[in-house]
Amino acid sequence: MLILVIASTGLDLAAQGDIKLPADFAADVVGKSLGRARHLVINSNGDIYIKLERLRNGKGIIRLRDKDGDGKIDDTTGFCNYGGTGIAIKNGYLYASSNTDVYRYKLNNNEPDTANRETVVTGLVDKGQHNSKSIALDNAGNIYVNIGAPSNVCQAQDRATGAPGQDPCPILEYAGGIWQFKADQKNQSYPQGTRYVTGTRNVVGLDWNNETNTLFVMQHGRDGLTDYHFYADSLSVELPAEEMLEAKQAGANFGWPYCFYNQIEGKKVLNPEYGGDAKKIGRCDGVLPPVAAYPGHMAPNGLLFYTGNKFPAKYKNGAFIAFHGSWNRAPLNQKGFFVVFQPFKDGKPNGDYEVFASGFAGKENITNPNQAVYRPCGLAQGPDGSLYVSDDAKGMVWKINFTGK
């Protein structure tokens, strides 16, 4: 059963930042009006670092700090001169990405050494579309960087109904996958990296699963399948699935742009631009399937494996996913704008996902994403086991705690 986090005060609840959570959970707003808050990370001392998609007051990273330990943010600062999405902390360094580069800052007594910023990766492609360089780090000294495809499905004329797909797709030379680099080496680019994953159109949410010691990513499925009239609108808008993918080793191929996952048929099938009809398999035979699939076009922008002990035991080692919300489910209403929990067992998804945090949109029957009050984007776990959620519409950050026994 869902309950409203804060009792009504007669004010617009959405405007106050209220969201809906399961019983015995509560949320506090710890940041607001911060800018386009994308991914975020929490340091061991509780400092919150938020990557902004665009500079705000000349700053691209915002830090929120509780200086006196009373549980309230009383110090807000910012630094860095680039926008972007990715941010992470590992082995005493803060990592952050622009849309072309990845940087890191040494944390000296929990203070980032901004005067001696190091460039870890540089010169990655940015053609405007799907350009966020989301990042994740493993436990063996590697950093993984998404390089999204600046295309819908690699057509000769992008997003033109009926235009054929390019075969082979030239974009796969420099994008449409996840690249692996060394986390402690400077000024790497494509020649020094390894294409760890191929055939992913765009990944914004990704995380290293410490239980399985593998990389998990959330695939943004292609647009425009409704133009081909494979099914009635009620089904077409669900295609293709948003996919949770596990890359167990380098070289994992998930099929973009030639294939998409048809969750109605339960298989990877050919895209129509390459001769498909939503059922034909063809060259997609053998392409790796998702480990879990979700309704189409909900835009999974955040992925976090929960390793804390503050939440009930069912959440341990499961995955939280922030769905940013759809834009192209017309003529039906848009969908998403929530955080879900995907149960795991023995390192694999186990059962259906559960809506964990909702109400971000502020109202039902959203027909355009601009109508949503908030759009969840980033997820992070605090040192106390709490869950943090960012919003890139109004610049909100929530801290979610378990209040039960």
Side-chain angles (χ1 to χ4, degrees), residues 18 35 38 49 63 71 112 132 137 140 146 156 172 194 216 224 244 246 290 313 326 376 383 389:
D18 291 359
R38 298 288 280 178
Y49 290 92
R63 187 188 70 186
S132 64
L137 292 98
N146 168 66
L172 291 175
T194 298
F216 280 73
M244 176 184 282
E246 180 184 13
S326 66
V389 182

Side-chain angles (χ1 to χ4, degrees), residues 35-40 50-53 84-87 132 134 203-206 218 220 298-304 320-325 337-340 357 360 374-380 387-398:
R36 291 179 177 259
R38 298 288 280 178
H39 287 176
L40 73 168
I50 304 145
K51 190 70 196 71
L52 301 185
E53 184 177 37
T85 292
I87 195 160
S132 64
S134 304
V203 168
V204 183
L206 70 167
M218 298 301 304
H220 278 225
M298 296 199 305
N301 273 14
L303 174 65
L304 173 75
F320 287 100
I321 307 166
F323 284 101
H324 194 232
F337 311 99
F338 49 41
V339 175
V340 309
F360 293 94
Y374 309 115
R375 302 188 72 181
C377 184
L379 300 168
L387 177 69
Y388 290 77
V389 182
S390 64
D391 143 68
D392 64 0
K394 298 291 189 297
M396 301 285 283
V397 176
W398 294 265

Side-chain angles (χ1 to χ4, degrees), residues 30-189:
V30 296
K32 60 174 62 176
S33 301
L34 298 174
R36 291 179 177 259
R38 298 288 280 178
H39 287 176
L40 73 168
V41 67
I42 319 302
N43 196 14
S44 57
N45 71 334
D47 286 353
I48 306 167
Y49 290 92
I50 304 145
K51 190 70 196 71
L52 301 185
E53 184 177 37
R54 299 176 185 174
L55 298 183
R56 183 174 177 83
N57 298 323
K59 311 299 181 184
I61 296 175
I62 302 298
R63 187 188 70 186
L64 307 180
R65 172 176 283 179
D66 173 12
K67 293 178 66 175
D68 57 14
D70 66 352
K72 298 179 180 180
I73 300 299
D74 47 29
D75 181 62
T76 300
T77 58
F79 60 97
C80 106
N81 60 354
Y82 52 90
T85 292
I87 195 160
I89 290 177
K90 193 78 173 181
N91 298 331
Y93 283 88
L94 174 71
Y95 293 80
S97 68
S98 70
N99 291 333
T100 56
D101 306 294
V102 180
Y103 307 98
R104 74 173 187 171
Y105 307 82
K106 178 68 174 174
L107 291 170
N108 297 320
N109 296 319
N110 296 316
E111 294 294 334
D113 184 359
T114 58
N116 295 290
R117 182 183 79 187
E118 298 178 3
T119 300
V120 178
V121 182
T122 189
L124 303 181
V125 67
D126 175 8
K127 294 188 177 182
Q129 184 178 181
H130 304 150
N131 60 352
S132 64
K133 303 301 184 288
S134 304
I135 59 175
L137 292 98
D138 65 17
N139 300 311
N142 300 304
I143 185 168
Y144 300 84
V145 185
N146 168 66
I147 308 179
S151 167
N152 182 32
V153 66
C154 203
Q155 294 166 280
Q157 183 179 357
D158 192 31
R159 298 180 183 271
T161 302
Q166 300 177 82
D167 194 1
C169 175
I171 292 172
L172 291 175
E173 294 296 320
Y174 58 85
I178 309 292
W179 266 254
Q180 180 194 66
F181 300 93
K182 294 298 181 183
D184 61 353
Q185 294 183 14
K186 299 180 183 180
N187 299 312
Q188 302 165 91
S189 195

Side-chain angles (χ1 to χ4, degrees), residues 253-273:
N253 179 14
F254 296 105
W256 185 91
Y258 313 113
C259 313
F260 74 89
Y261 187 70
N262 184 329
Q263 69 271 39
I264 299 169
E265 302 292 330
K267 58 189 178 184
K268 291 267 183 164
V269 297
L270 274 173
N271 269 311
E273 293 81 2

